[in-house]
Coordinates of all heavy atoms in Angstrom, one line a residue:
H53 N -0.6 19.8 13.4 CA 0.0 21.2 13.4 C 1.2 21.2 12.5 O 2.2 20.6 12.8 CB 0.4 21.6 14.9 CG -0.8 21.7 15.7 ND1 -1.6 22.9 15.7 CD2 -1.5 20.9 16.6 CE1 -2.6 22.8 16.6 NE2 -2.6 21.5 17.1
L54 N 1.1 21.9 11.4 CA 2.1 22.0 10.4 C 2.5 23.4 10.1 O 1.8 24.3 10.5 CB 1.6 21.3 9.1 CG 1.3 19.8 9.3 CD1 0.2 19.3 8.4 CD2 2.6 19.0 9.1
P55 N 3.7 23.6 9.5 CA 4.2 25.0 9.4 C 3.3 25.9 8.6 O 3.3 27.1 8.8 CB 5.5 24.8 8.6 CG 5.9 23.4 9.0 CD 4.7 22.6 9.1
D56 N 2.5 25.4 7.7 CA 1.7 26.2 6.8 C 0.2 26.0 7.1 O -0.7 26.3 6.2 CB 2.0 26.0 5.3 CG 1.9 24.5 4.9 OD1 1.9 23.7 5.8 OD2 1.8 24.3 3.7
G57 N -0.2 25.5 8.2 CA -1.6 25.3 8.5 C -2.0 24.1 9.4 O -1.1 23.5 9.9
R58 N -3.3 23.9 9.5 CA -3.8 22.8 10.3 C -4.1 21.6 9.5 O -4.7 21.6 8.5 CB -5.0 23.2 11.1 CG -4.9 24.4 12.0 CD -6.1 24.5 13.0 NE -7.4 24.2 12.3 CZ -8.5 23.8 13.0 NH1 -8.4 23.5 14.2 NH2 -9.6 23.6 12.3
G59 N -3.6 20.4 10.0 CA -3.9 19.2 9.3 C -5.4 18.9 9.3 O -5.9 18.3 8.4
L60 N -6.1 19.4 10.3 CA -7.5 19.2 10.4 C -8.2 19.8 9.2 O -9.2 19.3 8.7 CB -8.0 19.7 11.7 CG -9.3 19.1 12.3 CD1 -9.1 17.6 12.5 CD2 -9.7 19.8 13.5
D61 N -7.7 21.0 8.8 CA -8.3 21.6 7.6 C -8.2 20.8 6.3 O -9.1 20.8 5.5 CB -7.7 23.0 7.4 CG -8.1 24.0 8.5 OD1 -9.1 23.8 9.2 OD2 -7.3 24.9 8.8
L62 N -7.0 20.2 6.2 CA -6.8 19.3 5.0 C -7.8 18.1 5.1 O -8.4 17.7 4.1 CB -5.4 18.8 5.0 CG -5.1 17.7 3.9 CD1 -5.3 18.3 2.5 CD2 -3.7 17.2 4.1
L63 N -7.9 17.5 6.3 CA -8.8 16.4 6.5 C -10.3 16.8 6.1 O -11.0 16.1 5.4 CB -8.8 15.9 7.9 CG -9.8 14.8 8.3 CD1 -9.6 13.6 7.4 CD2 -9.6 14.4 9.8
K64 N -10.7 18.0 6.6 CA -12.1 18.4 6.3 C -12.3 18.6 4.8 O -13.3 18.3 4.3 CB -12.4 19.7 7.1 CG -12.5 19.5 8.6 CD -12.7 20.8 9.3 CE -12.9 20.6 10.8 NZ -13.1 21.9 11.5
S65 N -11.3 19.2 4.2 CA -11.4 19.5 2.7 C -11.5 18.2 2.0 O -12.3 18.0 1.0 CB -10.3 20.3 2.2 OG -9.1 19.6 2.3
L66 N -10.8 17.1 2.4 CA -10.8 15.8 1.7 C -12.2 15.2 1.9 O -12.8 14.7 0.9 CB -9.8 14.9 2.3 CG -8.3 15.2 2.0 CD1 -7.4 14.3 2.7 CD2 -8.1 15.1 0.5
R67 N -12.7 15.2 3.1 CA -14.0 14.6 3.4 C -15.1 15.4 2.7 O -16.1 14.8 2.1 CB -14.3 14.6 4.9 CG -13.3 13.6 5.6 CD -13.4 12.2 5.1 NE -12.6 11.3 5.9 CZ -11.6 10.6 5.4 NH1 -11.2 10.7 4.1 NH2 -10.9 9.7 6.2
N68 N -15.0 16.7 2.6 CA -16.1 17.5 1.9 C -16.1 17.3 0.4 O -17.1 17.4 -0.2 CB -15.8 19.0 2.2 CG -16.1 19.4 3.6 OD1 -16.9 18.8 4.3 ND2 -15.6 20.5 4.1
A69 N -14.9 16.9 -0.1 CA -14.8 16.6 -1.5 C -15.2 15.1 -1.8 O -15.1 14.7 -3.0 CB -13.4 16.8 -2.0
G70 N -15.6 14.4 -0.8 CA -16.0 13.0 -1.0 C -14.9 12.0 -0.9 O -15.1 10.8 -1.3
D71 N -13.7 12.4 -0.5 CA -12.5 11.5 -0.4 C -12.7 10.7 0.8 O -12.7 11.2 1.9 CB -11.3 12.4 -0.4 CG -10.0 11.5 -0.6 OD1 -10.0 10.4 -0.1 OD2 -9.1 12.0 -1.2
K72 N -12.8 9.3 0.6 CA -13.0 8.4 1.7 C -11.8 7.6 2.1 O -11.9 6.7 3.0 CB -14.1 7.5 1.4 CG -15.5 8.1 1.1 CD -16.5 7.1 0.8 CE -17.9 7.8 0.5 NZ -18.9 6.9 0.1
R73 N -10.6 7.9 1.6 CA -9.4 7.2 1.9 C -9.2 7.3 3.4 O -9.4 8.4 4.0 CB -8.2 7.6 1.1 CG -7.5 8.8 1.5 CD -6.5 9.2 0.5 NE -7.0 10.0 -0.6 CZ -6.4 10.2 -1.8 NH1 -5.2 9.6 -2.0 NH2 -6.9 10.9 -2.7
P74 N -8.7 6.3 4.1 CA -8.5 6.3 5.5 C -7.4 7.3 6.0 O -6.4 7.4 5.3 CB -8.1 4.9 5.9 CG -7.7 4.2 4.6 CD -8.4 4.9 3.5
V75 N -7.6 7.9 7.1 CA -6.7 8.9 7.7 C -6.5 8.6 9.1 O -7.4 8.4 9.9 CB -7.2 10.3 7.5 CG1 -6.3 11.3 8.2 CG2 -7.4 10.7 6.1
I76 N -5.2 8.5 9.5 CA -4.9 8.3 10.9 C -4.2 9.6 11.4 O -3.2 10.0 10.8 CB -3.9 7.1 11.2 CG1 -4.6 5.8 10.7 CG2 -3.5 7.0 12.6 CD1 -3.8 4.6 10.8
I77 N -4.7 10.2 12.4 CA -4.1 11.4 13.0 C -3.0 11.1 13.9 O -3.1 10.2 14.8 CB -5.2 12.3 13.7 CG1 -6.1 12.9 12.7 CG2 -4.5 13.4 14.5 CD1 -7.2 13.7 13.3
L78 N -1.8 11.8 13.8 CA -0.7 11.7 14.7 C -0.5 13.1 15.3 O -0.2 14.0 14.6 CB 0.6 11.3 13.9 CG 0.5 10.1 13.0 CD1 1.8 9.8 12.3 CD2 0.1 8.8 13.8
T79 N -0.6 13.2 16.6 CA -0.5 14.5 17.2 C 0.0 14.5 18.7 O -0.2 13.4 19.3 CB -1.8 15.2 17.2 OG1 -1.7 16.6 17.7 CG2 -2.9 14.5 17.9
A80 N 0.6 15.6 19.1 CA 1.0 15.7 20.5 C -0.1 16.1 21.4 O 0.0 16.1 22.6 CB 2.2 16.6 20.6
R81 N -1.3 16.5 20.8 CA -2.4 17.1 21.6 C -3.2 15.9 22.1 O -3.8 15.1 21.3 CB -3.2 18.0 20.7 CG -2.4 19.2 20.2 CD -3.3 20.2 19.5 NE -4.2 20.8 20.4 CZ -5.0 21.8 20.0 NH1 -5.1 22.2 18.7 NH2 -5.9 22.4 20.9
D82 N -3.3 15.7 23.4 CA -4.0 14.6 23.9 C -5.3 14.9 24.7 O -5.8 14.1 25.4 CB -3.1 13.8 24.9 CG -2.6 14.6 26.1 OD1 -2.9 15.8 26.1 OD2 -2.0 14.0 26.9
Q83 N -5.8 16.1 24.5 CA -7.0 16.5 25.1 C -8.2 15.8 24.4 O -8.2 15.6 23.2 CB -7.3 18.0 25.0 CG -6.2 18.9 25.7 CD -6.3 18.6 27.2 OE1 -7.4 18.6 27.8 NE2 -5.2 18.5 27.9
I84 N -9.2 15.4 25.2 CA -10.3 14.6 24.7 C -11.0 15.4 23.6 O -11.4 14.9 22.6 CB -11.3 14.3 25.8 CG1 -10.7 13.3 26.8 CG2 -12.6 13.7 25.2 CD1 -10.3 11.9 26.2
R85 N -11.2 16.7 23.8 CA -11.9 17.5 22.8 C -11.2 17.6 21.5 O -11.8 17.6 20.4 CB -12.1 19.0 23.3 CG -10.8 19.8 23.6 CD -11.2 21.2 24.0 NE -10.0 22.0 24.2 CZ -9.4 22.0 25.4 NH1 -9.8 21.3 26.4 NH2 -8.3 22.8 25.6
D86 N -9.8 17.5 21.5 CA -9.0 17.4 20.3 C -9.3 16.1 19.5 O -9.4 16.1 18.3 CB -7.5 17.6 20.5 CG -7.2 19.0 21.1 OD1 -7.9 20.0 20.7 OD2 -6.4 19.1 22.0
R87 N -9.3 15.1 20.3 CA -9.6 13.8 19.7 C -11.0 13.7 19.1 O -11.2 13.3 17.9 CB -9.5 12.6 20.7 CG -8.1 12.6 21.4 CD -8.0 11.3 22.2 NE -6.9 11.4 23.2 CZ -6.5 10.3 23.9 NH1 -7.1 9.2 23.7 NH2 -5.5 10.5 24.7
I88 N -11.9 14.3 19.8 CA -13.3 14.3 19.3 C -13.4 15.1 18.0 O -14.1 14.7 17.0 CB -14.3 14.8 20.4 CG1 -14.4 13.8 21.5 CG2 -15.7 15.1 19.8 CD1 -15.2 14.3 22.7
E89 N -12.7 16.3 18.0 CA -12.8 17.1 16.8 C -12.2 16.4 15.6 O -12.7 16.5 14.5 CB -12.0 18.4 17.1 CG -12.1 19.4 15.9 CD -11.3 20.7 16.2 OE1 -10.5 20.7 17.1 OE2 -11.5 21.7 15.4
G90 N -11.1 15.7 15.8 CA -10.4 15.0 14.7 C -11.3 13.8 14.2 O -11.5 13.7 13.0
L91 N -11.9 13.1 15.1 CA -12.8 12.0 14.7 C -14.0 12.5 14.0 O -14.5 12.0 13.0 CB -13.1 11.1 15.9 CG -11.9 10.4 16.5 CD1 -12.3 9.7 17.8 CD2 -11.4 9.3 15.5
N92 N -14.6 13.6 14.5 CA -15.8 14.2 13.9 C -15.5 14.8 12.5 O -16.4 14.9 11.7 CB -16.4 15.3 14.8 CG -17.1 14.7 16.0 OD1 -17.5 13.6 16.0 ND2 -17.3 15.6 17.0
A93 N -14.2 15.2 12.3 CA -13.8 15.7 11.0 C -13.7 14.6 10.0 O -13.5 14.9 8.8 CB -12.6 16.5 11.1
G94 N -13.6 13.3 10.4 CA -13.6 12.2 9.5 C -12.3 11.3 9.6 O -12.1 10.5 8.8
A95 N -11.5 11.5 10.7 CA -10.4 10.7 10.9 C -10.9 9.2 11.2 O -11.9 9.0 11.9 CB -9.5 11.2 12.0
D96 N -10.1 8.3 10.8 CA -10.4 6.9 11.1 C -9.8 6.4 12.4 O -10.2 5.4 13.0 CB -9.9 6.0 9.9 CG -10.7 6.3 8.6 OD1 -10.2 7.3 7.9 OD2 -11.7 5.7 8.3
D97 N -8.7 7.0 12.8 CA -8.0 6.6 14.0 C -7.2 7.8 14.5 O -7.0 8.8 13.8 CB -7.2 5.4 13.8 CG -7.0 4.5 15.1 OD1 -7.3 5.1 16.2 OD2 -6.6 3.4 15.0
Y98 N -6.6 7.6 15.7 CA -6.0 8.8 16.4 C -4.9 8.2 17.3 O -5.1 7.3 18.1 CB -7.0 9.5 17.2 CG -6.7 10.9 17.6 CD1 -7.5 11.9 17.1 CD2 -5.7 11.2 18.5 CE1 -7.2 13.3 17.5 CE2 -5.5 12.5 18.9 CZ -6.2 13.5 18.4 OH -6.0 14.8 18.8
L99 N -3.6 8.7 17.1 CA -2.5 8.3 17.9 C -1.8 9.5 18.5 O -1.6 10.5 17.8 CB -1.5 7.5 17.2 CG -1.7 6.0 17.1 CD1 -0.6 5.4 16.1 CD2 -1.6 5.3 18.4
V100 N -1.6 9.5 19.8 CA -1.0 10.6 20.5 C 0.5 10.4 20.7 O 0.9 9.3 21.1 CB -1.6 10.8 21.9 CG1 -0.9 11.9 22.7 CG2 -3.1 11.1 21.8
K101 N 1.3 11.4 20.3 CA 2.8 11.3 20.5 C 3.1 11.4 22.0 O 2.5 12.2 22.7 CB 3.4 12.4 19.7 CG 3.1 12.4 18.2 CD 3.7 13.7 17.6 CE 3.3 13.9 16.2 NZ 3.8 15.1 15.6
P102 N 4.2 10.7 22.4 CA 4.9 9.7 21.7 C 4.2 8.4 21.6 O 3.5 8.0 22.6 CB 6.2 9.6 22.5 CG 5.8 9.9 23.9 CD 4.7 10.9 23.8
F103 N 4.3 7.7 20.5 CA 3.6 6.4 20.3 C 4.5 5.3 20.0 O 5.7 5.6 19.5 CB 2.4 6.5 19.3 CG 2.9 7.1 18.0 CD1 3.6 6.4 17.1 CD2 2.6 8.5 17.7 CE1 4.0 7.0 15.9 CE2 3.0 9.1 16.5 CZ 3.8 8.3 15.6
D104 N 4.1 4.1 20.2 CA 4.9 2.9 19.8 C 4.8 2.7 18.4 O 3.7 2.6 17.8 CB 4.5 1.7 20.7 CG 5.3 0.5 20.4 OD1 6.4 0.4 21.0 OD2 4.9 -0.3 19.5
L105 N 5.9 2.5 17.7 CA 5.9 2.3 16.2 C 5.2 1.0 15.8 O 4.5 0.9 14.8 CB 7.3 2.4 15.6 CG 8.0 3.7 15.7 CD1 9.4 3.6 15.3 CD2 7.2 4.7 14.8
D106 N 5.3 0.0 16.6 CA 4.6 -1.3 16.3 C 3.1 -1.1 16.5 O 2.3 -1.7 15.7 CB 5.1 -2.4 17.3 CG 6.5 -2.9 17.0 OD1 6.9 -2.8 15.8 OD2 7.2 -3.4 17.9
E107 N 2.7 -0.3 17.4 CA 1.3 0.0 17.5 C 0.8 0.8 16.3 O -0.3 0.5 15.8 CB 0.9 0.8 18.8 CG -0.6 1.1 18.9 CD -0.9 2.0 20.1 OE1 0.0 2.4 20.9 OE2 -2.1 2.2 20.3
L108 N 1.6 1.7 15.8 CA 1.2 2.4 14.6 C 1.0 1.5 13.4 O 0.0 1.6 12.7 CB 2.3 3.4 14.3 CG 2.1 4.2 12.9 CD1 0.8 4.9 12.9 CD2 3.3 5.1 12.6
T109 N 1.9 0.5 13.2 CA 1.8 -0.4 12.1 C 0.6 -1.3 12.2 O -0.1 -1.6 11.3 CB 3.0 -1.2 11.9 OG1 3.4 -1.9 13.1 CG2 4.2 -0.4 11.4
A110 N 0.3 -1.6 13.5 CA -1.0 -2.4 13.7 C -2.2 -1.6 13.4 O -3.2 -2.1 12.9 CB -1.0 -2.9 15.2
R111 N -2.2 -0.3 13.8 CA -3.3 0.5 13.5 C -3.5 0.7 12.0 O -4.6 0.8 11.5 CB -3.2 1.9 14.2 CG -3.1 1.9 15.7 CD -4.4 1.8 16.4 NE -4.3 2.0 17.8 CZ -4.6 3.1 18.4 NH1 -5.0 4.2 17.7 NH2 -4.5 3.2 19.7
V112 N -2.4 0.9 11.3 CA -2.4 1.0 9.8 C -3.1 -0.2 9.2 O -3.9 -0.1 8.3 CB -1.0 1.2 9.3 CG1 -0.9 1.0 7.8 CG2 -0.5 2.6 9.6
A113 N -2.7 -1.4 9.6 CA -3.2 -2.6 9.1 C -4.7 -2.7 9.4 O -5.5 -3.1 8.5 CB -2.5 -3.8 9.7
A114 N -5.1 -2.4 10.6 CA -6.5 -2.5 11.0 C -7.4 -1.5 10.2 O -8.5 -1.9 9.7 CB -6.7 -2.3 12.5
V115 N -6.9 -0.3 10.1 CA -7.7 0.7 9.4 C -7.8 0.4 7.9 O -8.8 0.5 7.3 CB -7.1 2.1 9.6 CG1 -7.6 3.2 8.6 CG2 -7.3 2.6 11.0
A116 N -6.7 -0.1 7.3 CA -6.7 -0.5 5.9 C -7.7 -1.6 5.7 O -8.4 -1.7 4.6 CB -5.3 -0.9 5.5
R117 N -7.8 -2.6 6.6 CA -8.7 -3.7 6.4 C -10.1 -3.2 6.4 O -11.0 -3.6 5.6 CB -8.5 -4.7 7.6 CG -7.3 -5.6 7.5 CD -7.5 -6.9 8.3 NE -7.9 -6.6 9.7 CZ -7.0 -6.3 10.7 NH1 -5.8 -6.3 10.4 NH2 -7.5 -6.1 11.9
R118 N -10.4 -2.3 7.4 CA -11.8 -1.8 7.5 C -12.2 -1.0 6.2 O -13.3 -1.1 5.7 CB -12.0 -0.9 8.7 CG -11.9 -1.6 10.0 CD -12.5 -0.8 11.1 NE -11.8 0.5 11.3 CZ -10.8 0.7 12.1 NH1 -10.3 -0.4 12.8 NH2 -10.2 1.8 12.3
A119 N -11.2 -0.2 5.7 CA -11.4 0.6 4.5 C -11.7 -0.3 3.3 O -12.4 0.1 2.4 CB -10.3 1.5 4.3
S120 N -11.0 -1.5 3.2 CA -11.2 -2.3 2.1 C -12.5 -3.1 2.1 O -12.8 -3.8 1.2 CB -10.0 -3.3 2.0 OG -10.0 -4.2 3.0
G121 N -13.2 -3.0 3.2 CA -14.5 -3.8 3.3 C -14.3 -5.2 3.8 O -15.2 -6.0 3.7
D122 N -13.1 -5.5 4.3 CA -12.8 -6.9 4.7 C -12.1 -6.8 6.1 O -10.9 -7.1 6.3 CB -11.8 -7.5 3.7 CG -11.7 -9.1 3.9 OD1 -12.4 -9.6 4.8 OD2 -11.1 -9.7 3.1
P123 N -12.9 -6.5 7.1 CA -12.4 -6.3 8.5 C -11.9 -7.6 9.1 O -11.3 -7.6 10.2 CB -13.5 -5.7 9.2 CG -14.8 -6.2 8.6 CD -14.4 -6.3 7.1
A124 N -12.3 -8.8 8.6 CA -12.0 -10.1 9.2 C -10.4 -10.2 9.2 O -9.8 -10.0 8.2 CB -12.6 -11.2 8.5
P125 N -9.8 -10.6 10.4 CA -8.4 -10.6 10.4 C -7.8 -11.9 9.7 O -6.6 -11.9 9.5 CB -8.1 -10.7 11.9 CG -9.4 -11.3 12.5 CD -10.5 -10.8 11.7
V126 N -8.6 -12.9 9.4 CA -8.1 -14.1 8.8 C -8.9 -14.3 7.5 O -10.2 -14.3 7.5 CB -8.2 -15.3 9.7 CG1 -7.8 -16.6 9.0 CG2 -7.4 -15.1 11.0
I127 N -8.2 -14.6 6.4 CA -8.8 -14.9 5.2 C -8.4 -16.3 4.8 O -7.2 -16.7 4.9 CB -8.4 -13.9 4.1 CG1 -8.9 -12.5 4.4 CG2 -8.8 -14.4 2.7 CD1 -8.4 -11.5 3.4
R128 N -9.3 -17.1 4.3 CA -9.0 -18.5 3.8 C -9.3 -18.6 2.3 O -10.3 -18.3 1.8 CB -9.8 -19.5 4.6 CG -9.4 -19.6 6.1 CD -10.2 -20.6 6.9 NE -9.7 -20.8 8.2 CZ -9.9 -19.9 9.2 NH1 -10.6 -18.8 9.0 NH2 -9.3 -20.2 10.4
L129 N -8.2 -19.0 1.6 CA -8.3 -19.2 0.2 C -7.8 -20.7 -0.1 O -6.6 -20.9 -0.1 CB -7.4 -18.2 -0.6 CG -7.9 -16.8 -0.5 CD1 -6.8 -15.9 -1.2 CD2 -9.2 -16.6 -1.2

Side-chain angles (χ1 to χ4, degrees):
H53 294 277
L54 296 150
D56 55 342
R58 300 197 316 157
L60 205 60
D61 293 334
L62 174 63
L63 174 58
K64 289 177 179 178
S65 68
L66 290 173
R67 295 300 186 243
N68 289 338
D71 192 323
K72 297 181 180 179
R73 80 186 86 197
V75 175
I76 299 177
I77 288 177
L78 311 177
T79 183
R81 302 185 67 176
D82 61 354
Q83 296 296 317
I84 293 297
R85 63 176 179 273
D86 296 321
R87 301 189 196 191
I88 292 173
E89 185 180 13
L91 294 171
N92 284 342
D96 296 86
D97 206 343
Y98 201 112
L99 271 175
V100 176
K101 304 173 187 176
F103 49 79
D104 183 84
L105 291 172
D106 287 332
E107 181 182 2
L108 172 61
T109 54
R111 300 281 189 100
V112 166
V115 168
R117 285 200 310 273
R118 293 198 299 269
S120 69
D122 195 356
V126 178
I127 294 174
R128 290 177 173 80
L129 294 175

